[in-house]
């Protein structure tokens, strides 16, 4: 009995060899320097900010080199698959307009290097495992769960390295005859890789972020195929898929760095060239309670999951810009110098990624987003705001649909100027700062933010005098303000701020106090966009309505 006999017993229906698959999936015909990159999430959880950073980096690398960006569904851990996770991954990529060139989803496949779903590639993996068994580089391991627990407990107590290696690899030297006999007897087994590494020896690996790193060789006989469903482990599937799909660069989290010795040995066992690796920084945040810097958490931090940004209504490109600022330290400077250039034209460099971790700051995102929204045309902002509201807030959608022109006019206040207003960090923030423009919204509990002047009778006099005797919808802003000053002086307010500062006791207040009265009557707020524009949008009848509400509720 030989290793080939053992391999044939385990995989009797597998007829193709790794060489056959080399022909089925040949080297890609791409221009020199083109990168082939993959986004390969596991559908065991919903897409998070770390996934997003990897996806964006992959997209930029592919677009910048005229290469290929593909998505691979790594679903070998089917027991932990979360319903809807795969759908949300594809939704997110499409929503942010970073959709791949090659993928498999909803019964559609794009690309010639599929299947792009690992559970559909069983025959391919089995051919590669069969090959390793046939040449004595992999073996069936019959260790039971109880035996594995006993080994782990012994290693832990003895402060030994955890794993199956050396004397703990008890099935490593079983003869093909004995292995065949035990398999025929119905014993359960996994397939383990037969490592030839020496833990006491070192090799040098070059990561594109960290640079050259020295690792001990791998000497663990790790499982490469599970029992039962016969699916490959992540480590082995990654080797086969990245080679056959002709991946040139792998972008993955820093937590995978410890797997480098194993992956290094697996690639060399087949004589394959390894892709270049970009181990991305850990994404950190400042803990609100302790002030300490820690890793962002999918359980603790709502902003860790990509649901958060869409539900809040952050503009797509603002989120991408925020992600790029943590991916490359020089992105902010580049964006300042190239405000209208697509993000994917940024010359991404792994060397500009922080090896010690990247601080993700929601305040920074808010600032990026405010700046982005401030530069949008009012019509475009309204369209995106309406689209967001249709999905996430039916009430807002109904209101701004009914008052389309008024909403656009309000959003256009102090827009398209040298210094546009930066009021909104996302679409969710707009309605709380604009509700007062809509008649229906005044049927609520009101809190008027009057400042110095709080006497109701005085407030009513100011508004009635203005609306009955001064307001003219045809006035330009300078003319409007001059009339305000004249009326303010007539009613006992200082029209000149210098005079007011010199003799404040001679006046009820100043012209700013006077306009605050009108602002608060019309909006309940002491701080709003330009009052002149608000008045013009509302018109005289609605302003009288606001005054009547004040008389009733204040």
């Amino acid at each position: 009995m030989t290793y080939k006999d053992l391999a044939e017993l385990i995989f009797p229906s597998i007829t193709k060899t790794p060489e056959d698959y080399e022909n089925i999936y040949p080297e890609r015909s791409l221009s020199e320097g083109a990168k082939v990159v993959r986004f390969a999430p596991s559908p065991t959880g919903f897409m998070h900010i770390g996934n997003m950073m990897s996806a964006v980096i992959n997209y930029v690398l592919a677009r910048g080199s005229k290469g290929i960006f593909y998505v691979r569904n790594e679903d070998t851990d089917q027991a932990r698959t979360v319903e809807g996770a795969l759908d949300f991954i594809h939704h997110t990529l499409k929503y942010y307009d970073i959709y791949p060139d090659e993928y498999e989803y909803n019964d559609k496949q794009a690309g010639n290097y599929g299947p792009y779903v690992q559970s559909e590639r069983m025959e391919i993996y089995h051919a590669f495992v069969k090959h390793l068994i046939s040449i004595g580089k992999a073996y069936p391991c019959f260790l039971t769960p109880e035996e594995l627990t006993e080994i782990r407990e012994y290693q832990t107590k003895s402060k030994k390295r955890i794993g199956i290696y050396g004397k703990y690899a008890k099935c490593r030297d079983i003869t093909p005859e004995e292995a065949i006999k035990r398999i025929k007897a119905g014993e359960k087994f996994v397939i383990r890789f037969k490592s030839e590494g020496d833990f006491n020896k070192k090799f040098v690996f070059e990561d594109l972020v960290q640079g050259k790193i020295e690792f001990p060789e791998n000497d663990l006989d790790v499982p490469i195929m599970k029992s039962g469903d016969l699916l490959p482990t992540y480590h082995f599937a990654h080797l086969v898929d990245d080679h056959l799909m002709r991946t040139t660069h792998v972008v993955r989290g820093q937590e995978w760095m410890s797997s480098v010795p194993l992956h290094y040995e697996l690639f060399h066992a087949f004589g394959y060239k390894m892709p270049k690796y970009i181990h991305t920084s850990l994404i950190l945040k400042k803990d609100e309670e302790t002030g300490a810097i820690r890793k962002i958490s999918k359980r603790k931090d709502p902003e860790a999951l990509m649901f958060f940004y869409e539900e809040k209504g952050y503009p797509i490109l603002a989120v991408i810009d925020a992600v790029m600022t943590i991916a490359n330290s020089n992105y902010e400077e580049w964006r300042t110098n190239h405000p209208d250039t697509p993000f994917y034209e940024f010359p991404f460099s792994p060397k500009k990624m922080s090896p010690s971790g990247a601080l993700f700051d929601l305040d920074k995102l808010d600032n990026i987003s405010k700046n982005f929204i401030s530069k949008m045309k009012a019509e475009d902002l309204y369209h995106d705001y309406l689209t967001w509201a249709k999905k996430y807030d039916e009430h807002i959608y109904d209101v701004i649909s009914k008052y389309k022109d008024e909403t656009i006019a309000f959003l256009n206040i102090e827009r398209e100027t040298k210094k546009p207003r930066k009021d909104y960090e996302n679409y969710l923030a707009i309605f709380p700062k604009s509700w007062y423009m809509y008649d229906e919204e005044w049927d609520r509990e009101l809190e008027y933010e009057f400042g110095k002047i709080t006497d109701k009778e005085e407030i009513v006099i100011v508004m009635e005098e203005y609306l009955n005797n001064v307001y003219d919808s045809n006035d330009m802003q300078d003319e409007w303000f001059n009339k305000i000053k004249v009326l303010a002086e007539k009613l006992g307010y200082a029209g000149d701020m210098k005079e007011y500062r010199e003799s404040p006791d001679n006046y009820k207040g100043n012209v700013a106090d006077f306009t605050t009265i009108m602002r608060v009557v019309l909006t309940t707020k002491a701080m709003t966009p330009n009052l002149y524009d608000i008045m013009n949008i509302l018109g005289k009848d609605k302003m009288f309505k606001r005054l009547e509400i004040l008389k009733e509720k204040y």
Side-chain angles (χ1 to χ4, degrees), residues 230-470:
L230 299 182
L231 282 168
T233 59
Y234 164 79
H235 302 290
F236 191 74
H238 145 269
L239 152 79
V240 174
D241 293 343
D242 281 340
H243 175 68
L244 292 182
M245 293 178 179
R246 309 301 175 178
T247 309
T248 64
H249 291 70
V250 171
V251 179
R252 64 184 186 182
Q254 208 173 81
E255 64 272 17
W256 289 104
M257 189 71 82
S258 60
S259 302
V260 165
L262 171 59
H263 296 167
Y264 182 88
E265 188 178 10
L266 284 171
F267 272 95
H268 283 78
F270 282 94
Y272 297 154
K273 181 182 177 182
M274 287 185 81
K276 294 179 180 179
Y277 285 83
I278 298 171
H279 286 92
T280 59
S281 312
L282 293 174
I283 299 181
L284 310 173
K285 71 164 288 182
K286 188 174 183 179
D287 191 281
E288 294 174 2
E289 295 181 3
T290 66
I293 303 298
R294 61 170 173 80
K295 183 180 176 182
I296 199 165
S297 166
K298 287 181 283 186
R299 285 185 290 272
K300 292 181 181 179
D301 307 311
E303 70 270 27
L305 294 174
M306 292 309 297
F307 288 117
F308 177 85
Y309 305 97
E310 190 176 342
E311 289 173 353
K312 295 281 188 184
Y314 283 97
I316 289 167
L317 292 176
V319 174
I320 289 178
D321 270 2
V323 169
M324 287 299 293
T325 62
I326 60 174
N328 254 194
S329 59
N330 60 329
Y331 183 80
E332 281 186 83
E333 180 182 356
W334 178 85
R335 172 54 74 208
T336 300
N337 295 327
H338 303 81
D340 301 316
T341 304
F343 72 91
Y344 50 79
E345 293 187 17
F346 169 70
F348 175 83
S349 170
K351 296 187 183 301
K352 295 290 185 179
M353 178 172 279
S354 169
S356 59
L359 188 64
F360 185 69
D361 187 350
L362 266 183
D363 289 338
K364 178 177 283 189
L365 169 60
D366 286 347
N367 288 332
I368 291 171
S369 189
K370 283 179 178 180
N371 189 57
F372 184 87
I373 290 175
S374 76
K375 294 178 180 178
M376 296 174 71
K377 290 187 178 297
E379 292 83 359
D380 295 336
L381 175 55
Y382 173 79
H383 174 267
D384 289 357
Y385 180 30
L386 185 72
T387 302
W388 168 84
K390 186 175 184 179
K391 183 173 182 179
Y392 290 106
D393 197 308
E394 183 180 354
H395 175 68
I396 293 176
Y397 177 78
D398 289 342
V399 172
I400 66 176
S401 296
K402 180 178 178 181
Y403 295 100
K404 176 181 177 179
D405 292 342
E406 292 88 341
T407 302
I408 292 175
F410 179 82
L411 294 174
N412 202 42
I413 296 176
E414 299 175 74
R415 187 171 292 275
E416 296 188 54
T417 64
K418 286 185 178 181
K419 293 185 178 181
R421 293 184 65 90
K422 298 180 180 180
D423 292 327
Y424 316 118
E425 64 272 22
N426 51 47
Y427 305 138
L428 181 63
I430 296 176
F431 201 74
K433 297 177 181 178
S434 62
W435 65 266
Y436 49 77
M437 299 300 296
Y438 310 108
D439 288 347
E440 291 91 333
E441 297 302 309
W442 285 77
D443 186 21
R444 59 166 77 184
E445 290 293 321
L446 300 176
E447 293 185 11
Y448 288 95
E449 298 176 357
F450 288 113
K452 183 174 181 178
I453 310 301
T454 59
D455 179 70
K456 181 177 180 179
E457 184 177 347
E458 175 68 15
I459 291 165
V460 171
I461 289 171
V462 168
M463 284 304 299
E464 288 182 340
E465 280 287 328
Y466 174 74
L467 292 173
N468 288 322
N469 302 318
V470 176

Side-chain angles (χ1 to χ4, degrees), residues 466-519:
Y466 174 74
L467 292 173
N468 288 322
N469 302 318
V470 176
Y471 175 74
D472 184 340
S473 61
N474 295 314
D475 286 343
M476 299 300 288
Q477 184 161 341
D478 288 347
E479 189 176 4
W480 166 82
F481 187 64
N482 287 332
K483 288 182 178 181
I484 290 282
K485 288 174 68 177
V486 170
L487 179 61
E489 290 170 352
K490 176 183 174 182
L491 296 179
Y493 294 81
D496 185 286
M497 294 300 291
K498 182 179 179 181
E499 290 180 5
Y500 178 73
R501 285 192 294 269
E502 291 174 353
S503 306
D505 294 338
N506 293 339
Y507 304 97
K508 295 178 183 178
N510 57 48
V511 69
D513 299 320
F514 189 82
T515 55
T516 295
I517 292 172
M518 292 188 286
R519 189 187 304 274

